[in-house]
Amino acid sequence: MLRRAFTLLAAAATLSACVAPPDPYGFGRPPLTSTQAAHPVGPQPGPGNRVALLLPLSGSNAELGQSMLRAAQLSLAHPGAPPFDQYDTGGTPEGAAAAARTALDAGAGIIVGPLTAPETAAAAPLARAAGVPVLAFTSDATQAQPGVWTLGITPTQQVRRLVLAVQAEGKQRVAAVVPDNPFGNALADGLGTTTASAGLPPPRIIRYTGGFTNLNTALKEVADYGSRRGAIEAQQRAARARTDSDGRREANDIGQQTPPPPPFDALLLGTAGDQLSQAAPLLTAYDIGPAQARILGPALWA
């Protein structure tokens, strides 16, 4: 993601030194000359010649923001790289808007960032009004508009790569547990589209809202745990009902049996962060693991 952004920046800086920037997104710049028209280019710096890097250097995403800043410093440290300034968004839309205003007032010619879709939605209108292009890191394709490019890998693109990979392993049945929010819905839509185009069976998709309790319920449901474990538990109850040592020993032995595999070959788990940590033991509890199914996740896991 960073490599794509800084490759564009390097190209933009080099080209803008040779020709006047074109106007592919309707910012009202002068018409192209014949030389410029013959050499179309991508996003070009606006009126200023400095790059503004908008990152969450504080707040909940500060660790990621600091890592991205170090990557930017390394990528733009070579001779001829455009000068850049970093601005802290704090990881909030309000902070992103404030950072964009400060950057524009300082003469930014191109904005790289912010990180998330809400931050991009807050900062992009200010940049567009000033005629300054934005290269945002969000994977939310709905944020793309004239003058605003989204550099993140979209949920649909992520799901397609995952599904094609497991299909190459011979796996056919894919299920998903995703949060009931725009990101989870995008994962679910991408999964439905990709499995259909790949000729795979329709996926079973379980959406959940809230925290641990609903995540627990969703994983138990998608795993069909009640049916898979039900026969084993019935045999255990029958053995215990004999109330002798042989019955207790038999019940213990039955309890060690592995239930049948879940009704899927791969499970897309759309959680991240703390909920991903909560989900890990639940997968074990409901007998979902590498021996039963491939566990898939979005790029957020990185």
Side-chain angles (χ1 to χ4, degrees), residues 3 17 39 97 122 124 153 166 188 197 228 235-236 252 266 272 276-277 286:
R3 182 180 299 172
H39 299 84
I153 304 173
V166 297
S197 64
R228 294 166 56 216
Q235 293 174 32
Q236 279 186 298
N252 182 68
L276 180 58
S277 300
Y286 297 132

Side-chain angles (χ1 to χ4, degrees), residues 209-265:
T209 58
F212 176 80
T213 300
N214 291 337
L215 174 60
N216 179 31
T217 301
L219 285 171
K220 185 175 183 179
E221 180 181 351
V222 78
D224 197 19
Y225 186 74
S227 298
R228 294 166 56 216
R229 193 75 188 179
I232 294 175
E233 292 176 345
Q235 293 174 32
Q236 279 186 298
R237 288 193 297 269
R240 292 195 189 101
R242 289 159 40 190
T243 67
D244 56 20
S245 59
D246 288 341
R248 289 191 295 272
R249 184 167 51 253
E250 183 178 343
N252 182 68
D253 292 341
I254 293 172
Q256 303 304 311
Q257 295 179 12
T258 301
F264 48 79
D265 303 315

Side-chain angles (χ1 to χ4, degrees), residues 1 38 42 63 82 93 98 102 106 116 121 170 220 277 282 286 297-299:
M1 182 168 64
E63 183 176 355
T102 303
T116 67
K220 185 175 183 179
S277 300
L282 294 175
Y286 297 132

